[in-house]
Amino acid sequence: MTIKTIQKSSSEVLLASMRDEASNDKPTATLSASILEAWTSLPPEVRSALVTSELGIPNPATAGSNGTPSTTKPESFSISSYTSGSSSSSDDAGENTDNSGETVEICPKTGTKVVLKPLERAPKNVFEFSKTHTEESTHVEKTSAAVVTTKTSIMTRTRGWRNVFTLPIAYDVNMIPRGTLLDPVNPSLLEATGNHPEGYNRRFAVFDDAIERLYGEKIRAYFAVKGIELTVCVLNGGEADKRSAAVDKLLDELCAYKLRRREPFLAIGGGCLLDIAGMGACMYRRGVPFVRVPTTLLAIVDASVGVKNGVDYCCAITDETYKNRVGSFYAPSACLLDPSFIATQDARNVCNGFGEIMKLALVRSTDLFELLETHGAGLVKSRFMENSNVPDGVGDRVIDLSIQIMLEELGPNLWEKTLERCVDYGHTFSKLLEMVPGADIMHGEAVNVDGFFCCILSYLRGFITMDTVNRVFAAMKSLNLPTNSLDLQSELAWQSCKDAVEHRHGEQRIPLITDIGESICVSDITPEELDRALEVMKQFPH
């Protein structure tokens, strides 16, 4: 047996090599297969201890700093803590905790063993660790005189510290009594900006240009009645303006205002404005609170609910613009929803909001789909206001269901640890459709075109019948939503799939419906399949 020890500055590597030489000329160099098998079957730390003992090297698990036996508990790992099942607890994640508070983790893929020891002053967050990783290899060399088998085992030990901290996330999505948010009698808007000391009578808000035009005076009057001086930053609220320049402008205004570290500011507007505001809030002083007040149907059911913020990014190298390529996960301190804002939207913007609602219905809720199927046209016409053609409560029920479904899907997966998400339905091909230069298509419209295209893909795979496709098509048309686009061509469709692979970490993960209200994710869509779906799309009277 040949044993080598290699010392490195940041780790200790132990190399044990054994040769089995099938030669009658050198019987002393021959180890039987049973001995080799017995040696390799030993746990890595047992082999390490035996090798250390053989070489006369003090074992840090059993010796003090001067090389003499020590009675203190080892700092890294010990064989006893690895094998003492009676004094440790374990779970399905490959972890063991002994009575000293040390935790042992074993990676199921690499076999790396990690021993975590909590630090005294921060035992729930900071852990000292030692990592032990073993790699084994076998090399067979044939010569005229012998067959030489060399088995090599390399053990690497590293040490360091792990910091564990769970960021507490909690935010309320508040449904305000319809039409009362800007009434001075309702304190919600003021209270959302936080508690301030006596005499601190100023607040900061960012609006989009549509809110400034429609509600600017009313919002200022609300705060004036309460003796508050309101500083307002006005930004363009269109998709074309959702760029880093808008974030910079907001940051400039916050600097000039000198917003305090824990002082919430108000963001009032549509989805683009809320995205910009979330980015600014996340970046300013490394994070300040902000309150979302969505004022469009799309923003109420989509942008206001989760924790994602983002802006489109133009790459100087590729000269391409990427939708929401730069963004953050950053929660608002609160959301205030008043559906009465929808009444001042034009018909196209209301229909645009239904694109996201239809998406949720298709992947998660037959109840929501049936409400859209039956009352969608009336809700578009009435803009969610009371109307004799729509039963009382239907509009509120549609909004409530949409928000609840979004929260149910996003809540357990805020940071998108799981990338197979049904709420990504309609968001594979739509991103490139929106980015086509000069394209006259809004976000919810693009999502709906994508959603109907995915219905065709589901049909071609046998997931749904043509009757279901026709039913979905009729519901979409009743909401005045587009179901196709001249820009949805073969090249764009396949490029969208490739972009999905990049965005969803190596897999397409494209949601398809298996029935109304049910969905799965697939990752094997081919260019030929896309071309067949595009041909079927042409059969519908878009």
Side-chain angles (χ1 to χ4, degrees):
M1 179 187 297
T2 302
I3 300 174
K4 299 177 182 178
T5 300
I6 304 171
Q7 296 290 340
K8 291 187 177 181
S9 58
S10 61
S11 63
E12 178 185 351
V13 179
L14 186 67
L15 177 64
S17 300
M18 296 171 289
R19 291 178 176 270
D20 180 5
E21 302 181 6
S23 171
N24 294 329
D25 298 332
K26 300 178 181 180
T28 58
T30 302
L31 290 174
S32 67
S34 61
I35 293 177
L36 290 173
E37 185 177 354
W39 172 261
T40 56
S41 67
L42 293 174
E45 55 273 23
V46 175
R47 294 203 301 268
S48 172
L50 292 173
V51 171
T52 301
S53 175
E54 182 71 21
L55 294 178
I57 300 173
N59 187 340
T62 58
S65 59
N66 60 358
T68 59
S70 171
T71 58
T72 60
K73 185 166 180 62
E75 290 292 325
S76 54
F77 68 82
S78 64
I79 298 175
S80 60
S81 69
Y82 180 82
T83 58
S84 58
S86 61
S87 61
S88 64
S89 62
S90 63
D91 55 30
D92 294 335
E95 296 185 3
N96 293 275
T97 303
D98 66 21
N99 294 332
S100 70
E102 287 187 353
T103 299
V104 178
E105 298 176 351
I106 299 178
C107 177
K109 292 184 178 180
T110 66
T112 299
K113 177 182 175 182
V114 183
V115 180
L116 297 160
K117 178 182 178 181
L119 295 189
E120 182 178 355
R121 297 188 63 179
K124 295 183 179 180
N125 302 96
V126 186
F127 302 82
E128 185 179 12
F129 68 69
S130 65
K131 295 181 181 179
T132 306
H133 177 69
T134 302
E135 288 190 7
E136 298 180 352
S137 62
T138 301
H139 176 69
V140 179
E141 182 179 356
K142 295 181 179 180
T143 67
S144 59
V147 177
V148 180
T149 301
T150 304
K151 291 190 175 183
T152 303
S153 178
I154 299 178
M155 179 181 292
T156 305
R157 289 193 184 97
T158 59
R159 66 180 186 87
W161 298 265
R162 178 181 296 179
N163 187 36
V164 179
F165 188 84
T166 302
L167 186 65
I169 297 295
Y171 57 98
D172 290 350
V173 180
N174 302 276
M175 289 301 300
I176 305 300
R178 183 183 292 269
T180 68
L181 183 62
L182 301 183
D183 188 332
V185 175
N186 188 337
S188 299
L189 200 59
L190 181 62
E191 290 178 351
T193 59
N195 296 319
H196 295 279
E198 186 87 19
Y200 191 83
N201 297 323
R202 64 180 195 139
R203 300 292 189 274
F204 184 93
V206 55
F207 304 161
D208 61 34
D209 49 353
I211 290 302
E212 171 66 14
R213 183 177 67 256
L214 296 170
Y215 296 99
E217 289 186 8
K218 192 170 185 179
I219 295 172
R220 289 178 177 85
Y222 174 95
F223 284 97
V225 167
K226 298 181 179 299
I228 302 295
E229 177 187 350
L230 186 66
T231 298
V232 176
C233 169
V234 179
L235 300 174
N236 294 330
E239 184 69 38
D241 300 294
K242 200 174 76 167
R243 301 287 194 273
S244 57
V247 179
D248 289 341
K249 181 178 178 182
L250 173 58
L251 294 175
D252 285 344
E253 297 279 1
L254 289 171
C255 286
Y257 177 83
K258 301 189 185 303
L259 188 81
R260 296 182 176 184
R261 181 67 177 271
R262 292 180 173 83
E263 178 182 356
F265 71 86
L266 291 167
I268 308 176
C272 292
L273 183 280
L274 298 184
D275 265 354
I276 294 167
M279 283 290 290
C282 177
M283 297 167 67
Y284 190 74
R285 298 189 188 278
R286 299 185 181 90
V288 294
F290 78 112
V291 178
R292 285 179 178 152
V293 182
T295 57
T296 66
L297 177 59
L298 184 68
I300 287 172
V301 300
D302 185 34
S304 68
V305 178
V307 298
K308 292 203 298 187
N309 312 283
V311 295
D312 302 338
Y313 185 76
C314 182
C315 176
I317 296 176
T318 65
D319 196 31
E320 292 182 280
T321 299
Y322 300 92
K323 184 171 178 60
N324 290 329
R325 184 56 59 95
V326 177
S328 64
F329 292 104
Y330 191 72
S333 53
C335 299
L336 305 178
L337 312 183
D338 185 343
S340 68
F341 284 113
I342 301 171
T344 54
Q345 288 192 270
D346 60 37
R348 184 181 180 186
N349 271 285
V350 175
C351 295
N352 181 55
F354 273 108
E356 286 284 354
I357 297 175
M358 176 61 74
K359 170 200 79 175
L360 296 171
L362 289 175
V363 296
R364 271 291 312 274
S365 176
T366 54
D367 290 344
L368 182 56
F369 182 83
E370 289 170 358
L371 286 172
L372 298 180
E373 195 176 37
T374 306
H375 303 293
L379 290 172
V380 169
K381 187 175 181 180
S382 67
R383 293 171 174 79
F384 284 80
M385 301 298 287
E386 291 185 6
N387 186 289
S388 59
N389 296 323
V390 180
D392 291 346
V394 167
D396 290 341
R397 178 63 177 161
V398 166
I399 290 175
D400 287 356
L401 266 178
S402 300
I403 292 171
Q404 185 169 316
I405 291 170
M406 282 290 283
L407 285 171
E408 286 172 350
E409 291 298 323
L410 301 181
N413 192 29
L414 278 179
W415 273 261
E416 297 182 5
K417 182 178 180 181
T418 301
L419 293 175
E420 293 192 351
R421 310 184 323 137
C422 70
V423 290
D424 278 339
Y425 188 84
H427 288 71
T428 301
F429 308 98
S430 61
K431 291 200 294 184
L432 268 63
L433 283 176
E434 289 183 74
M435 291 292 103
V436 173
D440 181 22
I441 191 166
M442 303 175 75
H443 177 68
E445 295 172 338
V447 167
N448 200 74
V449 171
D450 183 323
F452 186 66
F453 185 55
C454 285
C455 277
I456 301 299
L457 290 170
S458 293
Y459 163 72
L460 290 175
R461 289 199 167 208
F463 294 160
I464 59 176
T465 65
M466 182 52 72
D467 286 343
T468 300
V469 176
N470 288 328
R471 186 182 174 192
V472 171
F473 181 78
M476 289 177 169
K477 298 306 291 183
S478 73
L479 294 165
N480 293 329
L481 283 166
T483 49
N484 202 358
S485 166
L486 294 176
D487 295 316
L488 183 55
Q489 301 294 333
S490 179
E491 183 179 353
L492 183 143
W494 181 237
Q495 183 59 43
S496 296
C497 289
K498 292 191 289 185
D499 183 72
V501 170
E502 178 185 338
H503 183 62
R504 297 166 187 163
H505 197 63
E507 300 284 346
Q508 291 176 352
R509 307 183 206 270
I510 298 174
L512 297 179
I513 62 170
T514 55
D515 198 353
I516 293 175
E518 299 177 7
S519 66
I520 61 171
C521 287
V522 302
S523 293
D524 57 349
I525 291 178
T526 65
E528 294 74 21
E529 192 174 2
L530 295 172
D531 288 342
R532 290 197 300 272
L534 289 171
E535 287 301 313
V536 174
M537 288 273 280
K538 295 177 182 178
Q539 301 173 15
F540 289 82
H542 302 286

